[in-house]
PDB file of all heavy atoms in Angstrom:
ATOM      1  N   PRO H   1       7.794 -13.248  10.725  1.00  0.00           N
ATOM      2  CA  PRO H   1       7.635 -12.041   9.916  1.00  0.00           C
ATOM      3  C   PRO H   1       6.103 -11.750   9.664  1.00  0.00           C
ATOM      4  O   PRO H   1       5.740 -10.650   9.259  1.00  0.00           O
ATOM      5  CB  PRO H   1       8.253 -12.371   8.566  1.00  0.00           C
ATOM      6  CG  PRO H   1       8.157 -13.865   8.469  1.00  0.00           C
ATOM      7  CD  PRO H   1       8.295 -14.335   9.918  1.00  0.00           C
ATOM      8  N   TYR H   2       5.204 -12.669   9.964  1.00  0.00           N
ATOM      9  CA  TYR H   2       3.800 -12.430   9.699  1.00  0.00           C
ATOM     10  C   TYR H   2       3.295 -11.343  10.585  1.00  0.00           C
ATOM     11  O   TYR H   2       3.492 -11.283  11.793  1.00  0.00           O
ATOM     12  CB  TYR H   2       2.927 -13.717  10.006  1.00  0.00           C
ATOM     13  CG  TYR H   2       3.338 -14.828   9.110  1.00  0.00           C
ATOM     14  CD1 TYR H   2       4.021 -15.955   9.593  1.00  0.00           C
ATOM     15  CD2 TYR H   2       2.990 -14.786   7.723  1.00  0.00           C
ATOM     16  CE1 TYR H   2       4.347 -16.982   8.765  1.00  0.00           C
ATOM     17  CE2 TYR H   2       3.320 -15.825   6.880  1.00  0.00           C
ATOM     18  CZ  TYR H   2       4.027 -16.902   7.426  1.00  0.00           C
ATOM     19  OH  TYR H   2       4.375 -17.962   6.563  1.00  0.00           O
ATOM     20  N   GLY H   3       2.689 -10.329   9.955  1.00  0.00           N
ATOM     21  CA  GLY H   3       2.131  -9.188  10.704  1.00  0.00           C
ATOM     22  C   GLY H   3       3.131  -8.165  11.108  1.00  0.00           C
ATOM     23  O   GLY H   3       2.762  -7.210  11.774  1.00  0.00           O
ATOM     24  N   SER H   4       4.384  -8.309  10.705  1.00  0.00           N
ATOM     25  CA  SER H   4       5.350  -7.325  11.021  1.00  0.00           C
ATOM     26  C   SER H   4       4.998  -5.960  10.289  1.00  0.00           C
ATOM     27  O   SER H   4       4.356  -6.045   9.203  1.00  0.00           O
ATOM     28  CB  SER H   4       6.755  -7.737  10.633  1.00  0.00           C
ATOM     29  OG  SER H   4       6.879  -7.716   9.167  1.00  0.00           O
ATOM     30  N   PRO H   5       5.379  -4.886  10.803  1.00  0.00           N
ATOM     31  CA  PRO H   5       5.039  -3.622  10.110  1.00  0.00           C
ATOM     32  C   PRO H   5       5.564  -3.607   8.633  1.00  0.00           C
ATOM     33  O   PRO H   5       4.823  -3.160   7.721  1.00  0.00           O
ATOM     34  CB  PRO H   5       5.753  -2.517  10.950  1.00  0.00           C
ATOM     35  CG  PRO H   5       5.901  -3.124  12.266  1.00  0.00           C
ATOM     36  CD  PRO H   5       6.062  -4.577  12.068  1.00  0.00           C
ATOM     37  N   GLN H   6       6.714  -4.126   8.402  1.00  0.00           N
ATOM     38  CA  GLN H   6       7.284  -4.112   7.052  1.00  0.00           C
ATOM     39  C   GLN H   6       6.440  -5.012   6.077  1.00  0.00           C
ATOM     40  O   GLN H   6       6.170  -4.675   4.965  1.00  0.00           O
ATOM     41  CB  GLN H   6       8.717  -4.636   7.082  1.00  0.00           C
ATOM     42  CG  GLN H   6       9.654  -3.613   7.735  1.00  0.00           C
ATOM     43  CD  GLN H   6       9.599  -3.658   9.265  1.00  0.00           C
ATOM     44  OE1 GLN H   6       9.056  -4.562   9.853  1.00  0.00           O
ATOM     45  NE2 GLN H   6      10.026  -2.566   9.915  1.00  0.00           N
ATOM     46  N   ARG H   7       6.053  -6.157   6.684  1.00  0.00           N
ATOM     47  CA  ARG H   7       5.225  -7.099   5.737  1.00  0.00           C
ATOM     48  C   ARG H   7       3.859  -6.442   5.464  1.00  0.00           C
ATOM     49  O   ARG H   7       3.382  -6.530   4.365  1.00  0.00           O
ATOM     50  CB  ARG H   7       5.083  -8.413   6.447  1.00  0.00           C
ATOM     51  CG  ARG H   7       4.415  -9.451   5.527  1.00  0.00           C
ATOM     52  CD  ARG H   7       4.961 -10.813   5.794  1.00  0.00           C
ATOM     53  NE  ARG H   7       4.370 -11.761   4.880  1.00  0.00           N
ATOM     54  CZ  ARG H   7       4.677 -12.966   4.898  1.00  0.00           C
ATOM     55  NH1 ARG H   7       5.505 -13.525   5.784  1.00  0.00           N
ATOM     56  NH2 ARG H   7       4.107 -13.828   4.044  1.00  0.00           N
ATOM     57  N   VAL H   8       3.316  -5.851   6.493  1.00  0.00           N
ATOM     58  CA  VAL H   8       1.974  -5.228   6.244  1.00  0.00           C
ATOM     59  C   VAL H   8       2.038  -4.110   5.155  1.00  0.00           C
ATOM     60  O   VAL H   8       1.243  -4.028   4.289  1.00  0.00           O
ATOM     61  CB  VAL H   8       1.396  -4.658   7.579  1.00  0.00           C
ATOM     62  CG1 VAL H   8       0.181  -3.778   7.365  1.00  0.00           C
ATOM     63  CG2 VAL H   8       1.053  -5.795   8.560  1.00  0.00           C
ATOM     64  N   GLN H   9       3.158  -3.321   5.353  1.00  0.00           N
ATOM     65  CA  GLN H   9       3.340  -2.286   4.368  1.00  0.00           C
ATOM     66  C   GLN H   9       3.580  -2.852   2.962  1.00  0.00           C
ATOM     67  O   GLN H   9       2.998  -2.366   1.966  1.00  0.00           O
ATOM     68  CB  GLN H   9       4.534  -1.384   4.757  1.00  0.00           C
ATOM     69  CG  GLN H   9       4.745  -0.270   3.740  1.00  0.00           C
ATOM     70  CD  GLN H   9       6.078   0.384   3.827  1.00  0.00           C
ATOM     71  OE1 GLN H   9       7.066  -0.226   4.128  1.00  0.00           O
ATOM     72  NE2 GLN H   9       6.133   1.693   3.659  1.00  0.00           N
ATOM     73  N   ALA H  10       4.373  -3.855   2.874  1.00  0.00           N
ATOM     74  CA  ALA H  10       4.703  -4.488   1.549  1.00  0.00           C
ATOM     75  C   ALA H  10       3.508  -4.966   0.855  1.00  0.00           C
ATOM     76  O   ALA H  10       3.220  -4.818  -0.316  1.00  0.00           O
ATOM     77  CB  ALA H  10       5.768  -5.526   1.699  1.00  0.00           C
ATOM     78  N   GLN H  11       2.581  -5.648   1.614  1.00  0.00           N
ATOM     79  CA  GLN H  11       1.395  -6.132   1.032  1.00  0.00           C
ATOM     80  C   GLN H  11       0.415  -4.987   0.700  1.00  0.00           C
ATOM     81  O   GLN H  11      -0.210  -5.082  -0.382  1.00  0.00           O
ATOM     82  CB  GLN H  11       0.735  -7.153   2.025  1.00  0.00           C
ATOM     83  CG  GLN H  11       1.521  -8.433   2.081  1.00  0.00           C
ATOM     84  CD  GLN H  11       0.930  -9.472   2.959  1.00  0.00           C
ATOM     85  OE1 GLN H  11       0.064  -9.177   3.815  1.00  0.00           O
ATOM     86  NE2 GLN H  11       1.398 -10.671   2.887  1.00  0.00           N
ATOM     87  N   ALA H  12       0.274  -4.057   1.558  1.00  0.00           N
ATOM     88  CA  ALA H  12      -0.680  -3.034   1.308  1.00  0.00           C
ATOM     89  C   ALA H  12      -0.250  -2.189   0.039  1.00  0.00           C
ATOM     90  O   ALA H  12      -1.040  -1.895  -0.842  1.00  0.00           O
ATOM     91  CB  ALA H  12      -0.751  -2.077   2.466  1.00  0.00           C
ATOM     92  N   LEU H  13       1.021  -1.852   0.007  1.00  0.00           N
ATOM     93  CA  LEU H  13       1.506  -1.003  -1.116  1.00  0.00           C
ATOM     94  C   LEU H  13       1.695  -1.875  -2.424  1.00  0.00           C
ATOM     95  O   LEU H  13       1.596  -1.311  -3.463  1.00  0.00           O
ATOM     96  CB  LEU H  13       2.854  -0.331  -0.793  1.00  0.00           C
ATOM     97  CG  LEU H  13       2.719   0.682   0.368  1.00  0.00           C
ATOM     98  CD1 LEU H  13       4.103   1.302   0.665  1.00  0.00           C
ATOM     99  CD2 LEU H  13       1.691   1.758   0.028  1.00  0.00           C
ATOM    100  N   GLY H  14       1.968  -3.179  -2.287  1.00  0.00           N
ATOM    101  CA  GLY H  14       2.072  -4.005  -3.406  1.00  0.00           C
ATOM    102  C   GLY H  14       0.812  -4.088  -4.256  1.00  0.00           C
ATOM    103  O   GLY H  14       0.878  -4.237  -5.484  1.00  0.00           O
ATOM    104  N   ASN H  15      -0.347  -3.900  -3.623  1.00  0.00           N
ATOM    105  CA  ASN H  15      -1.541  -3.938  -4.352  1.00  0.00           C
ATOM    106  C   ASN H  15      -1.628  -2.797  -5.408  1.00  0.00           C
ATOM    107  O   ASN H  15      -2.108  -2.976  -6.497  1.00  0.00           O
ATOM    108  CB  ASN H  15      -2.775  -3.697  -3.374  1.00  0.00           C
ATOM    109  CG  ASN H  15      -2.946  -4.858  -2.452  1.00  0.00           C
ATOM    110  OD1 ASN H  15      -2.861  -6.027  -2.880  1.00  0.00           O
ATOM    111  ND2 ASN H  15      -3.342  -4.584  -1.194  1.00  0.00           N
ATOM    112  N   PHE H  16      -1.017  -1.634  -5.038  1.00  0.00           N
ATOM    113  CA  PHE H  16      -1.034  -0.512  -5.945  1.00  0.00           C
ATOM    114  C   PHE H  16      -0.094  -0.733  -7.119  1.00  0.00           C
ATOM    115  O   PHE H  16      -0.403  -0.278  -8.231  1.00  0.00           O
ATOM    116  CB  PHE H  16      -0.675   0.759  -5.198  1.00  0.00           C
ATOM    117  CG  PHE H  16      -1.710   1.055  -4.103  1.00  0.00           C
ATOM    118  CD1 PHE H  16      -1.433   0.780  -2.785  1.00  0.00           C
ATOM    119  CD2 PHE H  16      -2.896   1.646  -4.543  1.00  0.00           C
ATOM    120  CE1 PHE H  16      -2.368   1.054  -1.814  1.00  0.00           C
ATOM    121  CE2 PHE H  16      -3.851   1.941  -3.525  1.00  0.00           C
ATOM    122  CZ  PHE H  16      -3.581   1.679  -2.217  1.00  0.00           C
ATOM    123  N   ASP H  17       0.999  -1.513  -6.901  1.00  0.00           N
ATOM    124  CA  ASP H  17       1.831  -1.799  -8.027  1.00  0.00           C
ATOM    125  C   ASP H  17       1.163  -2.635  -9.127  1.00  0.00           C
ATOM    126  O   ASP H  17       1.399  -2.466 -10.311  1.00  0.00           O
ATOM    127  CB  ASP H  17       3.094  -2.599  -7.535  1.00  0.00           C
ATOM    128  CG  ASP H  17       3.970  -1.724  -6.616  1.00  0.00           C
ATOM    129  OD1 ASP H  17       3.943  -0.521  -6.621  1.00  0.00           O
ATOM    130  OD2 ASP H  17       4.697  -2.346  -5.812  1.00  0.00           O
ATOM    131  N   GLN H  18       0.218  -3.501  -8.646  1.00  0.00           N
ATOM    132  CA  GLN H  18      -0.527  -4.358  -9.596  1.00  0.00           C
ATOM    133  C   GLN H  18      -1.536  -3.567 -10.371  1.00  0.00           C
ATOM    134  O   GLN H  18      -1.840  -3.839 -11.547  1.00  0.00           O
ATOM    135  CB  GLN H  18      -1.251  -5.458  -8.876  1.00  0.00           C
ATOM    136  CG  GLN H  18      -0.299  -6.416  -8.169  1.00  0.00           C
ATOM    137  CD  GLN H  18       0.405  -7.287  -9.175  1.00  0.00           C
ATOM    138  OE1 GLN H  18      -0.202  -7.756 -10.197  1.00  0.00           O
ATOM    139  NE2 GLN H  18       1.665  -7.492  -8.971  1.00  0.00           N
ATOM    140  N   ILE H  19      -2.102  -2.553  -9.835  1.00  0.00           N
ATOM    141  CA  ILE H  19      -3.166  -1.808 -10.543  1.00  0.00           C
ATOM    142  C   ILE H  19      -2.798  -0.367 -10.975  1.00  0.00           C
ATOM    143  O   ILE H  19      -3.585   0.321 -11.574  1.00  0.00           O
ATOM    144  CB  ILE H  19      -4.426  -1.753  -9.603  1.00  0.00           C
ATOM    145  CG1 ILE H  19      -4.155  -1.048  -8.301  1.00  0.00           C
ATOM    146  CG2 ILE H  19      -4.992  -3.117  -9.378  1.00  0.00           C
ATOM    147  CD1 ILE H  19      -5.377  -0.828  -7.413  1.00  0.00           C
ATOM    148  N   ALA H  20      -1.545  -0.015 -10.725  1.00  0.00           N
ATOM    149  CA  ALA H  20      -1.128   1.387 -11.062  1.00  0.00           C
ATOM    150  C   ALA H  20      -1.359   1.758 -12.506  1.00  0.00           C
ATOM    151  O   ALA H  20      -1.874   2.853 -12.819  1.00  0.00           O
ATOM    152  CB  ALA H  20       0.277   1.612 -10.689  1.00  0.00           C
ATOM    153  N   ALA H  21      -1.083   0.902 -13.405  1.00  0.00           N
ATOM    154  CA  ALA H  21      -1.222   1.231 -14.795  1.00  0.00           C
ATOM    155  C   ALA H  21      -2.672   1.371 -15.220  1.00  0.00           C
ATOM    156  O   ALA H  21      -3.017   2.229 -16.041  1.00  0.00           O
ATOM    157  CB  ALA H  21      -0.620   0.119 -15.725  1.00  0.00           C
ATOM    158  N   ALA H  22      -3.542   0.592 -14.594  1.00  0.00           N
ATOM    159  CA  ALA H  22      -4.978   0.706 -14.930  1.00  0.00           C
ATOM    160  C   ALA H  22      -5.722   1.806 -14.181  1.00  0.00           C
ATOM    161  O   ALA H  22      -6.799   2.261 -14.611  1.00  0.00           O
ATOM    162  CB  ALA H  22      -5.629  -0.660 -14.580  1.00  0.00           C
ATOM    163  N   ALA H  23      -5.208   2.241 -13.080  1.00  0.00           N
ATOM    164  CA  ALA H  23      -5.963   3.271 -12.337  1.00  0.00           C
ATOM    165  C   ALA H  23      -5.008   4.281 -11.686  1.00  0.00           C
ATOM    166  O   ALA H  23      -4.745   4.320 -10.522  1.00  0.00           O
ATOM    167  CB  ALA H  23      -6.726   2.482 -11.205  1.00  0.00           C
ATOM    168  N   PRO H  24      -4.506   5.265 -12.482  1.00  0.00           N
ATOM    169  CA  PRO H  24      -3.526   6.217 -11.949  1.00  0.00           C
ATOM    170  C   PRO H  24      -4.154   7.103 -10.901  1.00  0.00           C
ATOM    171  O   PRO H  24      -3.405   7.676 -10.045  1.00  0.00           O
ATOM    172  CB  PRO H  24      -3.124   7.039 -13.147  1.00  0.00           C
ATOM    173  CG  PRO H  24      -4.000   6.627 -14.312  1.00  0.00           C
ATOM    174  CD  PRO H  24      -4.672   5.360 -13.939  1.00  0.00           C
ATOM    175  N   ARG H  25      -5.477   7.303 -10.836  1.00  0.00           N
ATOM    176  CA  ARG H  25      -6.049   8.207  -9.850  1.00  0.00           C
ATOM    177  C   ARG H  25      -6.053   7.646  -8.412  1.00  0.00           C
ATOM    178  O   ARG H  25      -6.437   8.272  -7.510  1.00  0.00           O
ATOM    179  CB  ARG H  25      -7.469   8.539 -10.228  1.00  0.00           C
ATOM    180  CG  ARG H  25      -8.381   7.440 -10.360  1.00  0.00           C
ATOM    181  CD  ARG H  25      -9.702   7.847 -11.026  1.00  0.00           C
ATOM    182  NE  ARG H  25     -10.252   6.646 -11.570  1.00  0.00           N
ATOM    183  CZ  ARG H  25     -11.548   6.492 -11.773  1.00  0.00           C
ATOM    184  NH1 ARG H  25     -12.370   7.423 -11.549  1.00  0.00           N
ATOM    185  NH2 ARG H  25     -11.951   5.351 -12.268  1.00  0.00           N
ATOM    186  N   LEU H  26      -5.515   6.432  -8.319  1.00  0.00           N
ATOM    187  CA  LEU H  26      -5.409   5.783  -6.995  1.00  0.00           C
ATOM    188  C   LEU H  26      -4.201   6.307  -6.195  1.00  0.00           C
ATOM    189  O   LEU H  26      -3.907   5.888  -5.118  1.00  0.00           O
ATOM    190  CB  LEU H  26      -5.345   4.286  -7.022  1.00  0.00           C
ATOM    191  CG  LEU H  26      -6.670   3.631  -7.415  1.00  0.00           C
ATOM    192  CD1 LEU H  26      -6.513   2.154  -7.601  1.00  0.00           C
ATOM    193  CD2 LEU H  26      -7.720   3.938  -6.424  1.00  0.00           C
ATOM    194  N   ALA H  27      -3.460   7.244  -6.829  1.00  0.00           N
ATOM    195  CA  ALA H  27      -2.253   7.749  -6.146  1.00  0.00           C
ATOM    196  C   ALA H  27      -2.616   8.363  -4.728  1.00  0.00           C
ATOM    197  O   ALA H  27      -1.812   8.204  -3.805  1.00  0.00           O
ATOM    198  CB  ALA H  27      -1.600   8.802  -7.026  1.00  0.00           C
ATOM    199  N   ARG H  28      -3.737   9.005  -4.668  1.00  0.00           N
ATOM    200  CA  ARG H  28      -4.141   9.607  -3.310  1.00  0.00           C
ATOM    201  C   ARG H  28      -4.420   8.464  -2.361  1.00  0.00           C
ATOM    202  O   ARG H  28      -4.020   8.596  -1.155  1.00  0.00           O
ATOM    203  CB  ARG H  28      -5.409  10.450  -3.472  1.00  0.00           C
ATOM    204  CG  ARG H  28      -5.158  11.769  -4.176  1.00  0.00           C
ATOM    205  CD  ARG H  28      -6.389  12.554  -4.183  1.00  0.00           C
ATOM    206  NE  ARG H  28      -7.462  11.734  -4.675  1.00  0.00           N
ATOM    207  CZ  ARG H  28      -8.721  12.145  -4.831  1.00  0.00           C
ATOM    208  NH1 ARG H  28      -9.029  13.385  -4.616  1.00  0.00           N
ATOM    209  NH2 ARG H  28      -9.634  11.319  -5.354  1.00  0.00           N
ATOM    210  N   VAL H  29      -4.953   7.382  -2.753  1.00  0.00           N
ATOM    211  CA  VAL H  29      -5.260   6.248  -1.808  1.00  0.00           C
ATOM    212  C   VAL H  29      -3.991   5.616  -1.429  1.00  0.00           C
ATOM    213  O   VAL H  29      -3.761   5.235  -0.292  1.00  0.00           O
ATOM    214  CB  VAL H  29      -6.238   5.221  -2.477  1.00  0.00           C
ATOM    215  CG1 VAL H  29      -6.446   4.035  -1.590  1.00  0.00           C
ATOM    216  CG2 VAL H  29      -7.532   5.966  -2.812  1.00  0.00           C
ATOM    217  N   ARG H  30      -3.019   5.532  -2.402  1.00  0.00           N
ATOM    218  CA  ARG H  30      -1.720   4.919  -2.083  1.00  0.00           C
ATOM    219  C   ARG H  30      -1.006   5.766  -1.078  1.00  0.00           C
ATOM    220  O   ARG H  30      -0.402   5.295  -0.136  1.00  0.00           O
ATOM    221  CB  ARG H  30      -0.895   4.762  -3.391  1.00  0.00           C
ATOM    222  CG  ARG H  30       0.425   4.006  -3.148  1.00  0.00           C
ATOM    223  CD  ARG H  30       1.209   3.953  -4.487  1.00  0.00           C
ATOM    224  NE  ARG H  30       2.169   2.920  -4.487  1.00  0.00           N
ATOM    225  CZ  ARG H  30       3.313   2.813  -3.791  1.00  0.00           C
ATOM    226  NH1 ARG H  30       3.609   3.814  -2.980  1.00  0.00           N
ATOM    227  NH2 ARG H  30       4.116   1.814  -3.857  1.00  0.00           N
ATOM    228  N   ALA H  31      -1.031   7.110  -1.241  1.00  0.00           N
ATOM    229  CA  ALA H  31      -0.413   8.006  -0.301  1.00  0.00           C
ATOM    230  C   ALA H  31      -1.005   7.931   1.045  1.00  0.00           C
ATOM    231  O   ALA H  31      -0.276   7.866   2.083  1.00  0.00           O
ATOM    232  CB  ALA H  31      -0.451   9.413  -0.837  1.00  0.00           C
ATOM    233  N   TRP H  32      -2.352   7.754   1.112  1.00  0.00           N
ATOM    234  CA  TRP H  32      -3.075   7.607   2.392  1.00  0.00           C
ATOM    235  C   TRP H  32      -2.588   6.302   3.048  1.00  0.00           C
ATOM    236  O   TRP H  32      -2.385   6.252   4.287  1.00  0.00           O
ATOM    237  CB  TRP H  32      -4.571   7.575   2.128  1.00  0.00           C
ATOM    238  CG  TRP H  32      -5.341   7.317   3.390  1.00  0.00           C
ATOM    239  CD1 TRP H  32      -5.702   8.221   4.342  1.00  0.00           C
ATOM    240  CD2 TRP H  32      -5.779   6.021   3.896  1.00  0.00           C
ATOM    241  NE1 TRP H  32      -6.391   7.555   5.342  1.00  0.00           N
ATOM    242  CE2 TRP H  32      -6.435   6.248   5.060  1.00  0.00           C
ATOM    243  CE3 TRP H  32      -5.728   4.741   3.329  1.00  0.00           C
ATOM    244  CZ2 TRP H  32      -7.015   5.157   5.763  1.00  0.00           C
ATOM    245  CZ3 TRP H  32      -6.207   3.663   4.056  1.00  0.00           C
ATOM    246  CH2 TRP H  32      -6.863   3.943   5.253  1.00  0.00           C
ATOM    247  N   THR H  33      -2.474   5.213   2.240  1.00  0.00           N
ATOM    248  CA  THR H  33      -2.068   3.933   2.792  1.00  0.00           C
ATOM    249  C   THR H  33      -0.680   4.054   3.438  1.00  0.00           C
ATOM    250  O   THR H  33      -0.404   3.525   4.529  1.00  0.00           O
ATOM    251  CB  THR H  33      -2.075   2.870   1.726  1.00  0.00           C
ATOM    252  OG1 THR H  33      -3.430   2.784   1.208  1.00  0.00           O
ATOM    253  CG2 THR H  33      -1.625   1.488   2.232  1.00  0.00           C
ATOM    254  N   ALA H  34       0.283   4.701   2.728  1.00  0.00           N
ATOM    255  CA  ALA H  34       1.584   4.845   3.200  1.00  0.00           C
ATOM    256  C   ALA H  34       1.559   5.685   4.509  1.00  0.00           C
ATOM    257  O   ALA H  34       2.320   5.348   5.462  1.00  0.00           O
ATOM    258  CB  ALA H  34       2.532   5.484   2.137  1.00  0.00           C
ATOM    259  N   ALA H  35       0.792   6.737   4.553  1.00  0.00           N
ATOM    260  CA  ALA H  35       0.714   7.590   5.738  1.00  0.00           C
ATOM    261  C   ALA H  35       0.138   6.842   6.903  1.00  0.00           C
ATOM    262  O   ALA H  35       0.541   6.966   8.047  1.00  0.00           O
ATOM    263  CB  ALA H  35      -0.096   8.884   5.428  1.00  0.00           C
ATOM    264  N   GLU H  36      -0.899   6.048   6.686  1.00  0.00           N
ATOM    265  CA  GLU H  36      -1.552   5.217   7.743  1.00  0.00           C
ATOM    266  C   GLU H  36      -0.513   4.150   8.261  1.00  0.00           C
ATOM    267  O   GLU H  36      -0.480   3.966   9.449  1.00  0.00           O
ATOM    268  CB  GLU H  36      -2.785   4.577   7.254  1.00  0.00           C
ATOM    269  CG  GLU H  36      -3.953   5.500   7.145  1.00  0.00           C
ATOM    270  CD  GLU H  36      -4.334   6.135   8.432  1.00  0.00           C
ATOM    271  OE1 GLU H  36      -4.826   5.421   9.402  1.00  0.00           O
ATOM    272  OE2 GLU H  36      -4.105   7.359   8.640  1.00  0.00           O
ATOM    273  N   TRP H  37       0.213   3.608   7.352  1.00  0.00           N
ATOM    274  CA  TRP H  37       1.345   2.678   7.803  1.00  0.00           C
ATOM    275  C   TRP H  37       2.239   3.378   8.812  1.00  0.00           C
ATOM    276  O   TRP H  37       2.565   2.808   9.827  1.00  0.00           O
ATOM    277  CB  TRP H  37       2.059   2.030   6.664  1.00  0.00           C
ATOM    278  CG  TRP H  37       3.116   1.159   7.183  1.00  0.00           C
ATOM    279  CD1 TRP H  37       3.002  -0.113   7.601  1.00  0.00           C
ATOM    280  CD2 TRP H  37       4.534   1.552   7.362  1.00  0.00           C
ATOM    281  NE1 TRP H  37       4.213  -0.613   8.018  1.00  0.00           N
ATOM    282  CE2 TRP H  37       5.119   0.400   7.888  1.00  0.00           C
ATOM    283  CE3 TRP H  37       5.271   2.621   7.074  1.00  0.00           C
ATOM    284  CZ2 TRP H  37       6.505   0.391   8.179  1.00  0.00           C
ATOM    285  CZ3 TRP H  37       6.546   2.620   7.360  1.00  0.00           C
ATOM    286  CH2 TRP H  37       7.240   1.523   7.869  1.00  0.00           C
ATOM    287  N   LEU H  38       2.728   4.565   8.459  1.00  0.00           N
ATOM    288  CA  LEU H  38       3.608   5.311   9.321  1.00  0.00           C
ATOM    289  C   LEU H  38       2.929   5.536  10.678  1.00  0.00           C
ATOM    290  O   LEU H  38       3.573   5.351  11.732  1.00  0.00           O
ATOM    291  CB  LEU H  38       3.958   6.635   8.677  1.00  0.00           C
ATOM    292  CG  LEU H  38       5.055   6.590   7.612  1.00  0.00           C
ATOM    293  CD1 LEU H  38       5.265   7.970   6.983  1.00  0.00           C
ATOM    294  CD2 LEU H  38       6.416   6.054   8.194  1.00  0.00           C
TER     295      LEU H  38
END
């Protein structure tokens, strides 16, 4: 599973779950991350 597209996405987007409450303006960066994963 290392490096699979799903694992890469889970780790990249999981970062935003950790900091969402402290930094709501990161929504654009999160959306960019999701689009880049696609």
